[in-house]
Each structure stands twice: as C-alpha cells, then as structure tokens.
Amino acid sequence: GAVVSQHPSWVICKSGTSVKIECRSLDFQATTMFWYRQFPKQSLMLMATSNEGSKATYEQGVEKDKFLINHASLTLSTLTVTSAHPEDSSFYICSPAPAGASYEQYFGPGTRLTVT
Amino acid sequence: DQQVKQNSPSLSVQEGRISILNCDYTNSMFDYFLWYKKYPAEGPTFLISISSIKDKNEDGRFTVFLNKSAKHLSLHIVPSQPGDSAVYFCAASSGANSKLTFGKGITLSVRP
C-alpha cells in the first residue's frame, strides 16, 4: 500500500511563532495533496488542496496567509502555520493523491500541534 | 450542512458478534465511498470502499453495503474482534482525486 510520512509527529510552540509540517509520499508520486485537520472529538475537515507546482486552493474559512502550503515536488508538501495561536492547536493530517485517476486516498500519520 | 452523517457516536458489541456501522449522505454527486479506521493521534487507515455502481463489496471480515436510493451505506464487521475497537469514519468523494468529505465518526468498542 501507499506509504506516507509526516514530520514532526508532534510539536509544541509558543503563540506567535511559525511551525512547518512536512508530508512525504515514500513509494508513489502525488500530483495532488490534501491537508486536513481534526479538532478533538470532531471529524476530519479539509483545509486546502494543492497541485504540484501550483498555488493551493483553500476551503472556506481557512486563511491562506496563515496556512502556507508548498507542493514543490511530487513527493513532498509542506504546511506552515504562521503566527500560531492556541486555537490553531489541532491534529494536522496530509493525504497525497497518487498520480493518475484514483479514488482511494491514503493518509499520513498526522502531526499534533499544541500552541501555548 | 453535514453531507455525510454518522448519527450514532458509539457502538459496543461482544467479541464474535457482528458490528454494523451506519452512514448516511445527502449529496447525490458522491460516487465513491470509503471507510477508515482511526486511533487517537494517528492518521486514518483505509479499510474498504465501494463505488456507486455497486451495492456490496466484501473484503475478509469487512463488508460494505450501499443503498443508493436511500443514500445509506453500512459497514459490517463479522466476527468482531477486540482489535477492531477504534473510531470508524465514513467518507465520500465525487470523482477521482477529489477531496473526501468525512462523517463525524463512530467509536466502536468490542468487548472480550
């Protein structure tokens, strides 16, 4: 199956600082990357979709200047939470979509962000 | 407006019995449905899926049934095992490489 890694697995940062989360597809190329987040006891909510080499498309209510997404290669995407606030504390999960038409999607192990 | 609904937050079953997890959806554009298993602080793990052109898909202990007219699907796990205890998410998509819309999840507990 598809192998996806995320780094770091957890991070604690202070308010006002920025945090970068990396997502790698280890055994396949991903032309599309989905970034989700999950607040405690809630569902996974899509934040943004990015295609390799293009600007990301953000879901309604997600600030593009706050959550910077870079999808520079077919195996690596990064999500940077800028000027983090305690309300950004959440579980962030990436989902690279394999090149070519595919319905099945696989997820990274997630990154737990805690902003103090 | 929730397009994918998992109305029961939890389910508890005895080991060896059948677990039936339900999911309803409202968007008729959805044409592919997936079930994921998730543990706390981990990413979702793909379990089984079904295309809208089918009404049943089976993989080992897991079977997913789709009733398009009722916009309802269910995941059957039989026999249930304690290791099945986790949160199960129903998800739907409306095309290849499309985003997934998730339900809120249901916590399954399988009692030994």
Side-chain angles (χ1 to χ4, degrees):
Chain A
V3 182
V4 182
S5 72
Q6 269 184 252
H7 178 80
S9 55
W10 60 271
V11 58
I12 302 173
C13 71
K14 292 185 176 180
S15 268
T17 61
S18 295
V19 173
K20 180 186 283 188
I21 301 170
E22 288 188 353
C23 175
R24 293 179 186 272
S25 53
L26 300 182
D27 57 355
F28 66 97
Q29 294 185 326
T31 50
T32 302
M33 180 71 72
F34 300 101
W35 283 94
Y36 295 82
R37 65 181 168 186
Q38 183 188 23
F39 292 105
K41 296 187 178 180
Q42 293 190 25
S43 185
L44 283 77
M45 298 297 293
L46 181 69
M47 297 175 65
T49 304
S50 70
N51 290 302
E52 187 258 341
S54 302
K55 288 186 177 180
T57 302
Y58 291 80
E59 295 297 299
Q60 191 173 11
V62 179
E63 300 175 53
K64 63 180 176 64
D65 295 328
K66 182 173 184 60
F67 299 98
L68 303 179
I69 291 173
N70 183 288
H71 191 171
S73 79
L74 293 174
T75 59
L76 172 65
S77 177
T78 60
L79 167 67
T80 302
V81 183
T82 63
S83 187
H85 290 282
E87 57 265 30
D88 298 324
S89 298
S90 186
F91 192 61
Y92 292 85
I93 312 171
C94 67
S95 176
S102 173
Y103 278 91
E104 293 179 3
Q105 294 183 22
Y106 300 89
F107 290 81
T111 297
R112 168 73 61 195
L113 170 63
T114 301
V115 185
T116 61
Chain B
D1 177 34
Q2 243 190 310
Q3 298 185 58
V4 178
K5 302 177 184 178
Q6 293 177 261
N7 292 319
S8 301
S10 62
L11 174 68
S12 180
V13 300
Q14 190 75 39
E15 180 179 6
R17 307 293 288 268
I18 185 171
S19 295
I20 300 176
L21 288 67
N22 294 306
C23 179
D24 297 289
Y25 62 97
T26 57
N27 189 339
S28 3
M29 297 302 293
F30 289 144
D31 63 354
Y32 201 80
F33 305 89
L34 308 92
W35 283 94
Y36 288 86
K37 178 180 181 181
K38 187 180 182 299
Y39 295 109
E42 292 185 14
T45 301
F46 171 75
L47 273 178
I48 192 169
S49 60
I50 188 167
S51 163
S52 60
I53 62 173
K54 294 186 175 182
D55 55 17
K56 177 182 175 181
N57 188 27
E58 188 173 354
D59 183 2
R61 296 186 299 115
F62 302 92
T63 303
V64 56
F65 296 91
L66 175 63
N67 182 332
K68 276 186 66 178
S69 60
K71 292 190 174 68
H72 176 84
L73 61 152
S74 60
L75 173 66
H76 293 211
I77 306 173
V78 56
S80 302
Q81 299 173 355
D84 296 329
S85 298
V87 179
Y88 288 78
F89 286 95
C90 170
S93 76
S94 54
N97 300 111
S98 295
K99 68 177 185 181
L100 295 182
T101 300
F102 284 86
K104 286 190 173 181
I106 178 170
T107 300
L108 173 65
S109 300
V110 180
R111 308 185 303 272

